[in-house]
Amino acid sequence: MDNSAINNLSYTIYKITWDRIWISFFIKEVPSEANLSLVNLRDNTSFTLKREGNSDEFKLNITNPGNCEMLPTSIFKLSIHDNGSSTSNLSEYEMSLSDSIDTRTLSRQFIYFHEERAYRVQFSNKNGFKIKTSDVELPISTKKKISSLLRRSRHNLAKSVLRLIYNTEYLLFHRKGSTDIHKIKNPRILLMSDQSEEMGSNMAAFKEALLHEGYHPEEALRAVTTQHYSIMHWIKTLKKIASADFIFLDDHSQTTDWLTIRGTIITQLWHAGAGFKSTGYSRFGMPASPAPKSGHRQYTYGIAGSMKIRHFFSEVWGINDEQVLPTGMPRLDIFLNEDYRTKKTEELLDNYPVLCKPCSGGTSKEKRENIILFAPTYRGENKRQAYFPYDKLDMSKLYKLCQDIDATIIFKMHPFVEEKVPIPKEYLDRMADLTSYPNINDLFYITDLLITDYSSNIYEFSLMKKPMLFYAFDMEEYTKERGFHRDYKDNVPGKIVETFDEMITSIRTSDYEFEKVSEYLDKNFDHIDTHASERIIDWIIRGRKNISK
């Protein structure tokens, strides 16, 4: 199809919709070989929209239209061009907006930075259909403005000093020359966290693999949101960052939000194998979402479990799909190891008699037939505000259920939740709070039923091929406040119950919709083995990427 053929066509946008950070334009009869682009009228650059199959829908992610940055602040028009033509020679054509579309209802405002700024997307149909993006300062009270200025001034001064220290250390200690980083015999590898002073399960498993392969990784583990660190600590940490050839993170790093890291391959080993709750840029504009420029943008790579789901991860981080490598999660290397499974199962039965069958002489070392694990995520915006509404659990009914079906219920609350599970003393023969147990994955070995809500713990548990129940008592509220970056109801590997009584009934009748587990496994895992860490080392450190599967 040539450009002259397109020029003779007139196209009408008959619908425009939003799905969080995605905007969709619906246009009929666009040829399959043609592309729809958003053209910047200031510099004539363009962004190609993603077509949903051969449908009328064309989508664009405003947080990453393809360049790993926000859609620039400017004025745009829509343009159609042939697949083979260059975007610098776009076809002109007539594009109209359906009379049924009210552009005033389509505008969106995405608030960020302590509710002080907003990214706006507005529409106009005067002199042709146009889209305007802008980044504006929001009006706030004088008191809040003064407080914000004082806070920013203090923080900006500290960050400026730390940037100067980093840049100096980079000049002094970073490896010089044009050596291919993947061919370095002894690369400097840094395992880094800003979330905790303890190493997470993904990173711990990866560290073991690195040591086994003869590497000597350094560590920089801090909890910068809750702890204060001295200037000497920062100097030492920044030296490690400046020296590193490879940096591996296990979660969002606040340091990378204000520090531009140079000469380093940065990889995100995020723990959420396949969660549902929106995070990162997938919830841009909601409380605690990132700013348009954040540390996520610095990732060279991230990891995921499969090609089919990597687009969820790229959306969270504001990077492109091809930067997310389907290596699998390092912690699965240990989780799927049969010797480790046997060892941990024996340890659990030895240390927690409540998990064992009672016998005439006391407690046996044989596991109870029905062990139920209750492991939900937290509520609240962040670690400081995290909680779980225990009033949604009727302990007396749970205990009666345990008696009737000869079961034990163990609780493993999210690490952010500090309030202990309110288990009455008289129920401790069939209930236990194992929140302090270090690794939830170990508990999966002895669990017969997992009850959760929106947590990513379903990822590992699905490999046990056992039933799951989703107690989503606040699904509507959670959707509004937190949101999901994929349809919750269509993707959970089990039955959803919205009331406590529904949950009890499902357990009594073994109604779990267990058939959904196999569908979930097929979608979320390219590799079910013990070699995820090996793939990360091979693909990222040695530069031998192979993502065919």
Side-chain angles (χ1 to χ4, degrees), residues 104-247:
R104 293 171 299 179
T105 65
L106 292 172
S107 297
R108 293 291 184 273
Q109 178 166 276
F110 300 85
I111 299 173
Y112 69 94
F113 193 66
H114 309 293
E115 300 183 348
E116 295 177 25
R117 298 197 64 84
Y119 178 91
R120 288 175 177 167
V121 182
Q122 298 167 296
F123 301 85
S124 171
N125 201 29
K126 294 180 180 179
N127 301 318
F129 178 64
K130 301 290 189 299
I131 303 164
K132 179 182 179 181
T133 56
S134 56
D135 196 300
V136 299
E137 186 174 348
L138 296 176
I140 57 176
S141 67
T142 302
K143 182 179 179 180
K144 185 176 180 180
K145 193 166 189 175
I146 293 173
S147 174
S148 176
L149 285 171
L150 291 173
R151 183 187 70 247
R152 284 208 304 270
S153 297
R154 185 172 63 253
H155 289 178
N156 288 343
L157 177 60
K159 291 172 184 176
S160 295
V161 171
L162 293 175
R163 287 191 195 99
L164 178 60
I165 292 170
Y166 166 79
N167 288 326
T168 302
E169 291 179 328
Y170 182 83
L171 292 173
L172 292 173
F173 303 115
H174 194 80
R175 197 185 303 270
K176 304 298 189 296
S178 57
T179 306
D180 182 347
I181 195 170
H182 301 296
K183 294 181 180 179
I184 297 173
K185 186 175 182 181
N186 296 303
R188 298 166 181 169
I189 300 170
L190 179 62
L191 306 179
M192 177 176 165
S193 174
D194 278 351
Q195 299 291 331
S196 175
E197 294 181 350
E198 296 181 0
M199 191 170 286
S201 57
N202 251 357
M203 191 171 281
F206 184 57
K207 177 185 175 182
E208 288 301 312
L210 287 171
L211 294 173
H212 184 265
E213 291 291 323
Y215 295 102
H216 305 284
E218 284 200 272
E219 299 175 14
L221 309 177
R222 294 103 48 77
V224 298
T225 57
T226 57
Q227 300 291 330
H228 175 75
Y229 294 96
S230 68
I231 186 65
M232 287 306 300
H233 174 93
W234 275 103
I235 290 172
K236 292 177 181 178
T237 300
L238 291 172
K239 180 182 177 183
K240 292 178 181 179
I241 296 173
S243 303
D245 299 306
F246 297 90
I247 294 177

Side-chain angles (χ1 to χ4, degrees), residues 406-419:
D406 190 20
T408 292
I409 294 182
I410 54 178
F411 297 86
K412 183 75 167 76
M413 309 309 292
H414 192 281
F416 288 2
V417 177
E418 294 183 357
E419 184 181 359

Side-chain angles (χ1 to χ4, degrees), residues 529-543:
D529 58 24
T530 58
H531 305 295
S533 293
E534 292 176 25
R535 280 186 287 272
I536 295 172
I537 292 171
D538 208 40
W539 295 4
I540 296 176
I541 296 178
R542 295 174 182 147

Side-chain angles (χ1 to χ4, degrees), residues 398-410:
L398 281 175
Y399 186 72
K400 180 66 165 57
L401 172 72
C402 289
Q403 289 179 315
D404 292 345
I405 65 172
D406 190 20
T408 292
I409 294 182
I410 54 178

